[in-house]
Amino acid sequence: GGLKGGGGGGPFPGETLEEKLKRQRRQQRMMEGELPALRLGDASIASPFTYKGDSIKCVLLLLRNGRATLVTVFEMYMIMAMNSLITAFSLSVLTLDGVKLGDMQTSVENLYVTVLFFIVSRSPPAKRLAPERPLSSICSPPAVLSLLLQSSVHFACLLYGWSEARKRRPSDWKADLESQFEPDLVNTVVYLLFASMHGAAFLANYAGAPFMVSLWENKPLLHGLGVFLLVLGVFVSEVLPSLNAAFSLVPFPSPEFRQMMCGLILLDIGLSWVIGTATQRLHRFWMQFFAAGRSSQVVAMDLQRKKTKKTSKEL
């Protein structure tokens, strides 16, 4: 151990001589105006907000990245909440009806959804700092309203497509929960609707401007969603029957049923996008309104303070 200090009555009793010398050197550097030396790992908690420079120009960069990180986390929470509701309905209701999805179907779709999650997490922040504030809680009214409305649209489209496919089952069909996956019309309809819901969740809940770059500027996400929706359109339109067969998708019974599925998927994606965009704009409007109110209040207080100061000088 280190050598003990001279006496036990000092401000740091039990301090070794080596520790005392280090403390005195550190105090001397601080008195001379030098920054205290940091060891490796000392600033690990504050490292995301650490700037190695002598200027405050990094403040705007930190604010833009911090806001982008916040809205990205909320966006992922919204998408995961939507996917959780869909999965819960699938495991509780659809499974009891005998609906099953193939390994090829679920593996490819889940892998692509994971890629979309990774792309969203890498989305760059906006180039300018917005005057309004982002959502402060995932339980805020705009977020909850958007989640409820989007879920209602998804479940309405899913229930309608599922019921239409069930009408075309054989009359002697019975659900067998222990049987293996076999391609049929109900499984095909449910898989296509699930895929459209996952794509709509990313499209409708992407935050975009003013805290992040818009979807048109985010080329990786734009191209990723474009490929996802393009493949979904190929599946529904049945322009490549061999591709549908590779994914265990059975042909639709009639052109009318195909048109119904195309309209249902377009309705699901379109309404979800409209709801997500409308709730985001509603939130921005209210934040701008409150920001303007706070600014006018600050200006009024400043004018009142100047007037009071001027009156006191005259007296």
Side-chain angles (χ1 to χ4, degrees):
L3 299 175
K4 292 291 183 180
F12 298 96
E15 184 181 38
T16 63
L17 180 60
E18 189 175 339
E19 294 173 347
K20 182 178 181 181
L21 292 175
K22 287 182 179 180
R23 178 172 56 82
Q24 291 176 350
R25 285 196 296 266
R26 186 164 56 250
Q27 292 176 351
Q28 183 178 2
R29 284 196 300 267
M30 295 179 65
M31 292 177 62
E32 293 175 356
E34 297 182 7
L35 293 176
L38 297 177
R39 294 176 298 178
L40 183 62
D42 285 351
S44 58
I45 297 178
S47 58
F49 305 97
T50 302
Y51 176 71
K52 296 181 179 180
D54 55 356
S55 172
I56 62 172
K57 63 182 181 181
C58 64
V59 173
L60 292 179
L61 178 63
L62 292 175
L63 289 175
R64 288 193 290 110
N65 281 275
R67 287 184 168 186
T69 303
L70 179 63
V71 297
T72 300
V73 170
F74 284 169
E75 177 185 349
M76 290 189 171
Y77 282 165
M78 290 286 292
I79 297 173
M80 287 189 292
M82 207 77 63
N83 293 342
S84 298
L85 291 174
I86 297 171
T87 303
F89 182 78
S90 173
L91 295 176
S92 60
V93 178
L94 298 180
T95 302
L96 296 177
D97 189 57
V99 178
K100 296 181 177 65
L101 301 180
D103 294 337
M104 177 72 171
Q105 297 173 347
T106 54
S107 299
V108 172
E109 189 202 359
N110 290 335
L111 179 62
Y112 204 87
V113 168
T114 304
V115 172
L116 291 179
F117 267 116
F118 177 76
I119 294 175
V120 169
S121 67
R122 304 287 296 178
S123 298
K127 297 180 181 179
R128 300 186 63 181
L129 187 64
E132 62 266 23
R133 299 179 181 179
L135 290 174
S136 58
S137 173
I138 191 62
C139 298
S140 60
V144 175
L145 179 64
S146 179
L147 178 63
L148 292 177
L149 292 178
Q150 290 184 53
S151 301
S152 301
V153 171
H154 290 328
F155 283 122
C157 294
L158 179 60
L159 290 173
Y160 182 80
W162 175 45
S163 62
E164 289 296 319
R166 291 178 63 193
K167 294 177 182 178
R168 290 161 175 81
R169 278 174 171 170
S171 57
D172 57 346
W173 187 90
K174 292 183 179 180
D176 186 2
L177 303 182
E178 304 297 331
S179 63
Q180 298 295 324
F181 166 75
E182 293 183 3
D184 61 14
L185 182 61
V186 176
N187 295 339
T188 299
V189 169
V190 170
Y191 172 73
L192 294 176
L193 289 174
F194 275 1
S196 72
M197 293 174 191
H198 291 154
F202 284 95
L203 183 63
N205 295 290
Y206 178 69
F211 308 113
M212 302 170 65
V213 296
S214 64
L215 181 61
W216 300 108
E217 296 176 311
N218 194 346
K219 298 301 181 182
L221 182 59
L222 179 64
H223 295 160
L225 282 175
V227 171
F228 187 85
L229 297 178
L230 178 62
V231 174
L232 180 61
V234 170
F235 283 156
V236 179
S237 60
E238 296 182 316
V239 295
L240 294 176
S242 58
L243 182 62
N244 286 33
F247 277 81
S248 303
L249 302 176
V250 302
F252 293 133
S254 64
E256 291 77 14
F257 193 90
R258 186 189 309 117
Q259 294 175 3
M260 184 270 295
M261 282 297 300
C262 291
L264 202 60
I265 289 177
L266 289 175
L267 182 66
D268 179 59
I269 296 176
L271 279 181
S272 299
W273 178 80
V274 169
I275 291 171
T277 305
T279 52
Q280 289 178 9
R281 291 185 177 180
L282 178 64
H283 165 70
R284 293 171 195 165
F285 170 77
W286 279 110
M287 293 306 296
Q288 289 176 355
F289 176 78
F290 288 129
R294 285 194 298 268
S295 299
S296 61
Q297 185 178 6
V298 170
V299 171
M301 292 175 62
D302 187 55
L303 291 175
Q304 182 67 25
R305 185 167 55 252
K306 289 181 179 179
K307 185 177 179 181
T308 305
K309 186 176 181 181
K310 183 179 179 180
T311 304
S312 61
K313 286 183 177 179
E314 292 178 353
L315 294 176

